[in-house]
Amino acid sequence: MSEIYDIIIVGGGPAGLAAGIYGSRSRLKTAILQKGKPGGQAATTQDLENYPGFSRGTTGPALMEAMAEHAKSFGTEIIREEVVDLDLGGEIKIFKAKSGHQYRARIAILAPGAEPRTLNIKGERAFRGKGVSYCATCDADFFEELDVAVVGNGDAAVEEAIYLTKFASTVTIIVIHDEGILDCNKASAEVAFAHPKIKWVWNSVLDEIKGDGLVESVMIKNIKTGEISERETNGVFFFVGTVPKTEMLKGKVKLNEQGYMITNDLMETSVPGVYGAGDARMKYLRQVITAASDGAIAAVAAEKYLAEEEGFQESVLAVQEPVLVAFWTPQIEASIEAVFTLEKIVSKTDGKVKLVKIDTYRNQRVAKRYGVTTIPSVVIFKQGEVIEKFSGCCCEKELWEKVNRMIS
């Protein structure tokens, strides 16, 4: 039987590496399962100028290598394995690798990443990072006073094209539709149509990207006439969507219509003990810094989750004598009074009954698990099983009668 990790992270991009740093630093046994070399998409970005602390910029590969070494310095194991299936339903999560090996952990952090949707146009792959880009926020400043082309006409394409005008001399949008028809929202379209730097090529698709080392021109095909024309340009930006790498997560955690993981602010997915982080998560901005933030949050939330679960197991579920679990919060005065009353009653039982207090402000998970919606509430456990639950304030006499019946 394989060893059980505290945390296993699927994906070694910036989200996974940050989670590894935070997990291992919390003294949790942490491993990252990564198909190839760590770094994800960020490791393919040659120039990286918007990561805080690097005013002169750094390279994607250098930053990712530094993050990987940072994680390993705290004890994170980076294991070269491609995860092909997962069993996330139990207390112990099972990770099945392509090699046939299985890994087990109490916590799963899923950071498989996403990738730009590609069109497989001739020259697209060859010039990636050499004039071909999929991120205006990342690369716009490399094209200052130069001419660029944009492929796509949805919200992202038109909004990013508008952003590019802050840097480029001209921005040419290649549109498959008839003149004046765009797939983006009306407000963005109006701004784009009125912008003097934005040019339009209608009824057309990109046919080829050409250059000598760097992008120098594009071949554009008119879909109505079949005519192909060449247009000089220094860069090509593709905005035709991104694809989350979540195919194996279908039916295991909740995804949105586009396949992105749905999480809350703690990066929790729909499955207890399973967290989502990075570009495969439904979010507003997909950048190295936001991926790293996700990973840090997920690992810290996971550490709190494990501490809470272990504490509850030890103090409540594994105890033989009856346990009164008082759900309270210092913000509600009635719950403070209820706790005081319970303490008096339990003190009279000569240790035959235990009292455990749970601040629902700090631990909403346990309250939700046992259907606690009113504060104060008391849940009575005996040998790990719930035998009674009541909410609201009870007088001392009523509470004593309930407790006395348990020990008599």
Side-chain angles (χ1 to χ4, degrees):
M1 186 68 70
S2 63
E3 62 184 319
I4 298 177
Y5 290 85
D6 293 312
I7 298 175
I8 283 183
I9 301 156
V10 178
L17 292 170
I21 291 169
Y22 276 76
S24 294
R25 192 168 181 269
S26 296
R27 302 294 189 268
L28 297 175
K29 186 171 179 59
T30 304
I32 296 172
L33 302 180
Q34 166 68 22
K35 178 181 177 181
K37 190 175 180 181
Q41 254 195 96
T44 68
T45 303
Q46 189 56 37
D47 296 302
L48 190 65
E49 291 195 333
N50 57 1
Y51 195 84
F54 296 90
S55 58
R56 294 290 179 183
T58 183
T59 67
L63 181 62
M64 292 302 99
E65 184 177 348
M67 287 180 71
E69 290 303 315
H70 193 168
K72 287 191 284 187
S73 74
F74 283 122
T76 302
E77 296 179 44
I78 300 180
I79 304 169
R80 199 157 186 169
E81 286 274 31
E82 180 182 358
V83 177
V84 294
D85 198 10
L86 298 152
D87 184 352
L88 304 174
E91 288 187 18
I92 300 301
K93 319 303 179 187
I94 300 172
F95 306 76
K96 301 172 184 178
K98 191 174 184 179
S99 65
H101 293 145
Q102 288 192 3
Y103 299 85
R104 301 187 299 156
R106 296 189 293 165
I107 292 288
I109 297 179
L110 308 176
E115 57 190 1
R117 191 182 302 278
T118 59
L119 299 180
N120 295 318
I121 290 167
K122 187 176 180 181
E124 180 181 355
R125 182 180 293 274
F127 289 104
R128 185 167 182 169
K130 301 173 183 179
V132 167
S133 175
Y134 301 86
C135 176
T137 308
C138 309
D139 299 332
D141 58 335
F142 297 124
F143 296 90
E144 194 161 357
E145 300 302 320
L146 297 176
D147 301 306
V148 299
V150 167
V151 179
N153 69 101
D155 286 340
V158 175
E159 288 165 10
E160 296 290 85
I162 294 168
Y163 178 80
L164 284 165
T165 62
K166 296 179 181 181
F167 303 89
S169 178
T170 64
V171 178
T172 300
I173 303 179
I174 302 168
V175 185
I176 196 171
H177 305 306
D178 290 337
E179 183 172 348
I181 298 175
L182 298 174
D183 293 329
C184 69
N185 65 81
K186 188 176 180 180
S188 294
E190 288 175 352
V191 173
F193 285 141
H195 204 292
K197 283 189 175 182
I198 294 181
K199 313 299 179 187
W200 303 90
V201 178
W202 303 99
N203 296 313
S204 298
V205 295
L206 189 61
D207 190 67
E208 184 181 353
I209 302 168
K210 301 174 71 175
D212 184 9
L214 297 172
V215 171
E216 295 175 351
S217 67
V218 291
M219 306 300 290
I220 300 173
K221 180 178 181 179
N222 185 293
I223 60 172
K224 290 194 171 181
T225 66
E227 180 185 355
I228 297 178
S229 58
E230 187 169 10
R231 190 183 189 102
E232 291 186 4
T233 191
N234 304 108
V236 182
F237 285 80
F238 287 86
F239 301 113
V240 291
T242 56
V243 182
K245 299 177 183 177
T246 56
E247 188 66 29
M248 70 175 171
L249 301 182
K250 289 180 178 177
K252 302 183 190 302
V253 298
K254 191 172 182 181
L255 309 174
N256 71 1
E257 291 181 358
Q258 290 75 42
Y260 291 96
M261 291 181 287
I262 298 173
T263 69
N264 61 15
D265 290 345
L266 297 181
M267 305 299 140
E268 294 172 320
T269 68
S270 55
V271 178
V274 179
Y275 297 78
D279 286 1
R281 184 176 78 87
M282 190 173 73
K283 60 194 295 188
Y284 178 71
L285 181 65
R286 292 181 174 86
Q287 293 280 278
V288 173
I289 188 170
T290 62
S293 170
D294 287 356
I297 293 169
V300 171
E303 188 272 331
K304 302 290 186 193
Y305 173 91
L306 288 175
E308 290 168 5
E309 292 296 305
E310 288 173 358
F312 194 77
Q313 173 69 29
E314 184 179 330
S315 63
V316 178
L317 301 181
V319 176
Q320 293 300 305
E321 60 264 42
V323 183
L324 302 182
V325 179
F327 291 89
W328 76 295
T329 180
Q331 288 84 6
I332 299 177
E333 188 174 344
S335 71
I336 299 174
E337 294 173 0
V339 167
F340 178 70
T341 301
L342 286 166
E343 287 174 338
K344 285 174 59 179
I345 291 169
V346 169
S347 68
K348 300 176 184 177
T349 67
D350 297 324
K352 295 178 181 178
V353 175
K354 283 186 60 180
L355 174 63
V356 172
K357 296 170 283 187
I358 293 183
D359 182 350
T360 54
Y361 180 78
R362 296 177 178 274
N363 192 339
Q364 297 178 9
R365 187 180 298 107
V366 174
K368 184 177 179 181
R369 182 187 306 163
Y370 293 103
V372 173
T373 57
T374 303
I375 304 300
S377 286
V378 177
V379 180
I380 303 175
F381 290 81
K382 191 170 185 180
Q383 297 180 353
E385 299 293 329
V386 175
I387 61 173
E388 190 171 355
K389 180 170 71 174
F390 52 94
S391 301
C393 297
C394 288
C395 71
E396 186 172 340
K397 182 180 178 182
E398 289 177 308
L399 288 170
W400 173 246
E401 288 175 355
K402 290 177 182 290
V403 171
N404 199 39
R405 283 199 300 268
M406 288 191 298
I407 59 177
S408 57

